[in-house]
C-alpha cells in the first residue's frame, strides 16, 4: 500500500512545473517523511495499546516480541530505501515516456530535486536509526534473500511498463480530436 501511494505521490510531484513549488513540495515531503520514519516505534506502541485496550498488555507483548519486531523494522528500513528510489525512477520514466512531461530540462530538474531530497532524508534517518536507536540495519541487509533487490527492481519495472501501456488511452491526442 505504501508503494502504491508513494508511486502516485511521485507522479503528482512530477507534474509540478514551477521550480519553487518543486523545492517546497519535495523538501516538505522530506520533512514529513523524516518525522514519520523516526516515530515508527511510538506509533506502533500507540496502535498496539489501542488494539489491546491495555498498556500493560501492550508492554508485555512488546517486550516478548521485541527482537522479531526489531528485525522486521530493519527489514522495512531497507525496503523503504529501495522502494523510494525505484518509485522516483519509475514515475520519472512513466511521466517522460507517456508524453506528459512538457520539456526535458524541467523534468530532469524535478527528478534531481526528488532524488536529492530523498537522499538527504535517507542519510539523516539512517544516522538516526543506526546511531541513536542502535538498530542493526547493516546486518539485516545481509540476512535478506540474495536476489531480493533485483527481483523487487523487476517488479517495479514491470509495473511501470504496465502503467505506460495503459496511459495511452488517457493521453492520446486522437481521443478528443
Amino acid at each position: 500500500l505504501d508503494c502504491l501511494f508513494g508511486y502516485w505521490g511521485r507522479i503528482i510531484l512530477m507534474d509540478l512545473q514551477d521550480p519553487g513549488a518543486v523545492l517546497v513540495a519535495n523538501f516538505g515531503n522530506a520533512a514529513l517523511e523524516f518525522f514519520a520514519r523516526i516515530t515508527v516505534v511510538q506509533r506502533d506502541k500507540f496502535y498496539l495499546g489501542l488494539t489491546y485496550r491495555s498498556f500493560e498488555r501492550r508492554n508485555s507483548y512488546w517486550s516478548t516480541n521485541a527482537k522479531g519486531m526489531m528485525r522486521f523494522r530493519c527489514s522495512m528500513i531497507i525496503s523503504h530505501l529501495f522502494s523510494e528510489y525505484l518509485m522516483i525512477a519509475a514515475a520519472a520514466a512513466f511521466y517522460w515516456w507517456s508524453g506528459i512531461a512538457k520539456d526535458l530540462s524541467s523534468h530532469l530538474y524535478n527528478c534531481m530535486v526528488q532524488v536529492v531530497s530523498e537522499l538527504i532524508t535517507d542519510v539523516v534517518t539512517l544516522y538516526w536509526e543506526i546511531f541513536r536507536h542502535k538498530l542493526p540495519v547493516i546486518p539485516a541487509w545481509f540476512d535478506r534473500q540474495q536476489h531480493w533487490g533485483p527481483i523487487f527492481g523487476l517488479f517495479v519495472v514491470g509495473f511501470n511498463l504496465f502503467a505506460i501501456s495503459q496511459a495511452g488511452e488517457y493521453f492520446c491526442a486522437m481521443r478528443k480530436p
Side-chain angles (χ1 to χ4, degrees):
L1 194 60
D2 180 45
C3 283
L4 179 64
F5 286 121
Y7 179 77
W8 291 113
R10 294 293 175 184
I11 291 289
I12 291 169
L13 287 173
M14 286 291 169
D15 198 40
L16 296 175
Q17 298 297 315
D18 179 52
V22 170
L23 283 173
V24 169
N26 280 288
F27 284 101
N29 185 36
L32 290 172
E33 185 178 337
F34 172 74
F35 180 74
R37 286 169 62 180
I38 65 168
T39 58
V40 169
V41 172
Q42 291 81 5
R43 283 182 290 139
D44 287 351
K45 284 184 176 181
F46 175 74
Y47 292 131
L48 196 58
L50 289 177
T51 302
Y52 280 128
R53 289 186 235 147
S54 164
F55 289 113
E56 185 177 299
R57 287 177 55 202
R58 175 202 70 181
N59 293 339
S60 172
Y61 178 87
W62 195 266
S63 62
T64 304
N65 298 299
K67 187 172 177 151
M69 288 187 292
M70 184 186 309
R71 268 196 334 266
F72 180 69
R73 186 169 167 209
C74 290
S75 178
M76 292 309 296
I77 289 169
I78 294 166
S79 297
H80 190 80
L81 293 175
F82 263 93
S83 64
E84 284 292 336
Y85 294 105
L86 286 172
M87 284 186 292
I88 291 170
F94 169 75
Y95 208 76
W96 180 253
W97 290 108
S98 64
I100 305 170
K102 310 267 187 293
D103 66 297
L104 183 60
S105 62
S106 65
H107 181 67
L108 290 176
Y109 171 76
N110 196 329
C111 292
M112 289 306 297
V113 171
Q114 286 190 42
V115 168
V116 168
S117 67
E118 188 61 36
L119 184 64
I120 291 169
T121 304
D122 289 341
V123 167
V124 173
T125 305
L126 274 175
Y127 178 83
W128 189 279
E129 298 288 6
I130 292 171
F131 295 108
R132 177 117 194 253
H133 291 291
K134 308 283 190 239
L135 289 177
V137 176
I138 306 301
W141 169 255
F142 292 114
D143 288 342
R144 281 195 168 273
Q145 293 291 331
Q146 181 181 3
H147 302 293
W148 179 86
I151 289 171
F152 186 70
L154 287 173
F155 168 75
V156 171
V157 168
F159 177 77
N160 196 39
L161 290 173
F162 173 75
I164 289 172
S165 72
Q166 298 301 308
E169 75 178 69
Y170 298 113
F171 303 109
C172 179
M174 298 301 290
R175 184 169 181 221
K176 295 180 185 176

